[in-house]
Amino acid sequence: MKKQSLLVVFFEGTSSAVDQLATQIGIFAHTVQAPRIYSHIEVPSIMSRGGKTIKMAFDGCGVTNGLTGILFAAGLDGQVHKVMEVVEKMSHYGGVRVVAVGLSRGGIA
């Protein structure tokens, strides 16, 4: 029987960087005890070592995409696409449950 894994995703508020711990999103992301990944390429090494929980955390789209991120949430689609790639890769190892938390523009995700 294949195991179920957990992906916890944090989308920071529009003008906040997740590593600054300026909002509850950054604090939550820092508190979750799991390896943080940035790409689906990292999934196999974690899963092959028996990892069950992985986290991803994204800066606000105003931080990553400037004015267009602030006004139109530019960059959010790319962040969501990265999450989708990770879910797809994790699904090769069994079921995947996703918990996502977002603030401000990140809440749109």
Side-chain angles (χ1 to χ4, degrees):
M1 179 183 205
K2 289 186 175 185
K3 66 180 180 178
Q4 182 170 2
S5 54
L6 174 65
L7 175 62
V8 186
V9 186
F10 299 93
F11 295 95
E12 186 55 271
T14 305
S15 298
S16 298
V18 74
D19 290 330
Q20 291 179 348
L21 307 180
T23 70
Q24 67 269 36
I25 298 299
I27 294 168
F28 294 160
H30 180 73
T31 303
V32 170
Q33 299 298 308
R36 180 177 175 187
I37 65 169
Y38 299 88
S39 167
H40 68 282
I41 295 169
E42 300 169 83
V43 170
S45 67
I46 293 169
M47 300 303 283
S48 65
R49 292 189 315 249
K52 292 179 74 176
T53 303
I54 296 174
K55 70 180 171 184
M56 298 181 81
F58 297 96
D59 290 337
C61 51
V63 174
T64 60
N65 290 75
L67 185 59
T68 57
I70 292 169
L71 296 176
F72 307 111
L76 195 56
D77 284 345
Q79 293 174 349
V80 171
H81 183 74
K82 286 183 178 184
V83 173
M84 291 170 47
E85 289 177 327
V86 168
V87 170
E88 192 275 327
K89 186 68 82 171
M90 289 175 74
S91 71
H92 293 223
Y93 299 89
V96 181
R97 184 170 53 131
V98 178
V99 176
V101 182
L103 181 66
S104 185
R105 301 287 187 282
I108 296 169

